[in-house]
């Protein structure tokens, strides 16, 4: 029996058709993956199902009853909930209260709430203190807290929109535990994700949305990440895995046949751009020895509370840290004696600001040129800068009809790509820190971001990538260090290992 049945759904924004004649169903006890390129319409479809947008045409039923929610609140009453990655939860709540809010236990005495929340968190293996404040847990874990909450709610269908992005492998496992629990209770889940290998571990069936239409509806057992990439981007789906030519997600580079390495980049130069010895939180005796070569993309990863956050923060001067020595471009830098002053203040890009530090109401042209409107200019430089904008928009494959489109109307993935391109151009320093450069991006966009990083490193810049996504690290980095207890015991060299091995080693360690 289907929990959700969707027939002929259509939705347009300002005349632009985003969903066209979309029909599918989600059965009771079924987890259905929804994938597609950036801008394909996944979130729009999820939002229509969750009552956030009304469709222009089509009809839906929930458990056989006509379903036309007037709002997300209404949808929840009718049995459909949505979990968004960047959901806003009142930061003053404790984690326990957040997990149980809106449920019958919401107003129960503190001890009962704590005990119940602890049990739910333990069930999904989420290592969070029930007494911690929501304000003090990482932003991206809020979606997971919300996912834990739906377990206690009486919804029949749950839309999970990109909740796994930015979660550590252990947290993704927790999210999957929630999905499996919902499935075992006979509920339905629509699971939207760009992290295809992990998604395929949990879903029963996959829908591919391409240009607003369902282009493929197939059991997960017949699919693998490579075939899915082809289905989402190019449309030509090889008939079966056995007969299909292997499609590698990472771009292969020329190398000895027996070493299927991960990156296409040339080996970075031997020159050291940045060396930090024994970078550690105040009070600790041992920390990380960091050596970033010129033109290198160095990855750092680790579990929550591994020390990764502190090390990344120390590189940018945001978190107090101590170290024994710092050398930048061959020059020794003074090591601060007090813990209040920072040894390093590297520029950092973080995609976690909702609007990427960009005015969502500004046009693409204005966002990328960052020019003050009305400032005296000459026609030649204006043409050159607008050509630059058009070139970036083309190179990054942004789905827009005009550079006069407002930034906020672009899909999340397109916003991210442009924001990163803009940031790299505006921060020309030799060593920069980039957090999760490919978060929420489809395979083609990930490649484009790698091109951006390659262009930066080809000019001698060095990039420290901070990420918890094993595939992103494997695809982007020359070397990867897994931080454990504030230290990196081993650096993985992606030029010497297969992508599969790098991924497996990260997963084993992180
Ligand atoms: N509120 C809106 N107003 C105008 N256009 C919108 C709006 N919401 C979405 N769109 C447009 O609809 C298209 C589909 O966007 P949507 O966010 O659904 O894609 P998506 O598949 O979820 O992409 P991504 O993977 O990048 O998040 C995009 O081109 C986007 O610009």
């Amino acid at each position: 029996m289907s929990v959700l049945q969707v027939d002929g759904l259509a939705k347009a924004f300002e005349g632009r058709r985003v969903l066209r004649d979309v029909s599918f169903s989600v059965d009771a006890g079924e987890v259905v993956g929804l994938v597609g390129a950036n801008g394909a319409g996944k979130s729009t479809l999820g939002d229509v199902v969750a009552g956030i947008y009304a469709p222009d045409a089509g009809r839906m039923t929930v458990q056989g009853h006509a379903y036309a929610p007037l709002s997300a609140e209404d949808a929840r009453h009718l049995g459909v909930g949505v979990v968004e990655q960047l959901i806003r939860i009142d930061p003053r709540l404790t984690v326990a209260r957040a997990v149980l809010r809106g449920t019958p236990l919401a107003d129960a005495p503190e001890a009962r709430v704590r005990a119940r929340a602890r049990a739910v968190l333990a069930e999904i293996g989420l290592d969070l203190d029930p007494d911690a404040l929501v304000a003090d847990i990482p932003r991206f874990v809020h979606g997971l807290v919300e996912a834990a909450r739906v377990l206690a709610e009486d919804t029949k269908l749950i839309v999970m929109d990109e909740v796994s992005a930015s979660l550590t492998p252990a947290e993704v496992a927790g999210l999957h535990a929630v999905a499996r629990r919902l499935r075992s209770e006979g509920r339905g889940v629509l699971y939207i994700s760009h992290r295809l290998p992990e998604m395929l571990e949990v879903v029963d069936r996959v829908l591919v949305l391409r240009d607003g239409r369902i282009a493929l509806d197939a059991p997960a057992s017949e699919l693998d990440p490579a075939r899915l990439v082809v289905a989402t981007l190019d449309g030509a789906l090889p008939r079966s895995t056995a007969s299909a030519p292997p499609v590698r997600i990472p771009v292969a580079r020329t190398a000895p046949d027996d070493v299927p390495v991960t990156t296409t980049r040339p080996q970075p130069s031997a020159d050291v751009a940045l060396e930090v010895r024994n970078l550690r939180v105040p009070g600790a005796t041992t920390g990380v020895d960091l050596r970033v070569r010129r033109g290198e993309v160095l990855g750092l990863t680790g579990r929550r509370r591994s020390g990764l956050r502190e090390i990344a923060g120390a590189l940018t001067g945001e978190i107090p840290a101590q170290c024994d020595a710092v050398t930048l471009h061959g020059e020794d830098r003074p090591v601060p004696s007090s813990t209040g002053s920072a040894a390093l203040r590297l520029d950092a890009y973080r995609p976690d600001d909702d609007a990427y530090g960009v005015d969502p109401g500004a046009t693409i042209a204005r966002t990328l040129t960052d020019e003050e409107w009305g400032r005296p200019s000459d026609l030649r430089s204006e043409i050159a800068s607008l050509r630059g904008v058009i070139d970036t928009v083309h190179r990054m494959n942004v789905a827009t009809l005009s550079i006069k489109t407002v930034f906020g109307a672009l899909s999340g993935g397109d916003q991210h790509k442009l924001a990163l391109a803009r940031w790299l151009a505006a921060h020309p320093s030799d060593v920069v820190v980039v957090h999760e450069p490919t978060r929420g991006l489809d395979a083609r966009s990930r490649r484009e971001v790698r091109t951006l990083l390659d262009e930066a490193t080809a000019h001698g810049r060095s990039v420290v990538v901070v990420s918890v996504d094993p595939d992103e690290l494997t695809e982007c980095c020359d070397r990867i260090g897994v931080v454990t207890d504030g230290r990196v015991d081993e650096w993985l060299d992606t030029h010497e290992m297969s992508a599969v091995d790098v991924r497996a080693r990260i997963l084993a360690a992180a």
Side-chain angles (χ1 to χ4, degrees), residues 457-479:
T457 52
H459 286 94
R461 300 178 71 184
S462 308
V463 182
V464 178
V465 165
V466 182
S467 166
V468 291
D469 177 349
D471 293 300
E472 174 174 71
L473 290 156
T474 308
E475 290 166 27
C476 289
C477 302
D478 295 301
R479 282 186 306 139

Side-chain angles (χ1 to χ4, degrees), residues 246-265:
V247 183
R248 293 168 55 84
I249 301 173
V251 188
R253 75 175 177 152
T254 16
D257 287 347
D258 54 340
V259 188
V261 290
T262 311
T263 64
T264 52
R265 261 187 310 282

Side-chain angles (χ1 to χ4, degrees), residues 13-14 16 18 37-44 53 194 409-413 440:
F13 291 111
E14 292 148 19
R16 179 154 178 251
V18 174
N38 292 127
K42 303 177 297 295
S43 291
T44 304
Y53 292 134
H194 282 290
L410 295 174
S411 78

Side-chain angles (χ1 to χ4, degrees), residues 11-14 16-19 34-47 53 161-162 192-194 209 399-400 405-415 440-442 445:
K11 178 75 187 164
F13 291 111
E14 292 148 19
R16 179 154 178 251
R17 293 206 282 169
V18 174
L19 299 177
L34 177 62
V35 304
N38 292 127
K42 303 177 297 295
S43 291
T44 304
L45 179 54
D47 287 350
Y53 292 134
D161 191 353
E162 275 287 349
I192 301 174
S193 180
H194 282 290
L209 199 57
T400 182
T405 301
V406 295
F407 190 81
L410 295 174
S411 78
D414 282 346
Q415 290 189 23
L441 296 186
D442 64 39
S445 302

Side-chain angles (χ1 to χ4, degrees), residues 327-402:
T327 313
L328 198 57
H329 301 301
E331 278 185 26
D332 290 342
R333 298 271 294 256
V335 175
S337 46
S338 80
T339 53
S341 50
L344 281 162
R345 290 195 189 279
L346 303 180
D347 290 323
Y349 171 81
R350 253 186 219 89
D352 41 335
D353 300 323
D354 287 354
Y356 308 99
V358 165
D359 174 2
T363 63
I364 297 173
R366 179 156 190 188
T367 305
L368 287 187
T369 54
D370 219 8
E371 272 172 10
E372 273 174 51
W373 269 180
R375 201 185 58 177
S377 164
D378 67 274
L379 188 60
R380 196 173 296 177
S381 66
E382 212 165 287
I383 291 171
S385 90
L386 288 179
R387 276 216 180 107
V389 172
I390 292 168
D391 180 53
T392 306
V393 166
H394 270 190
R395 235 166 8 105
M396 296 283 107
N397 245 313
V398 172
T400 182
L401 296 176
S402 163

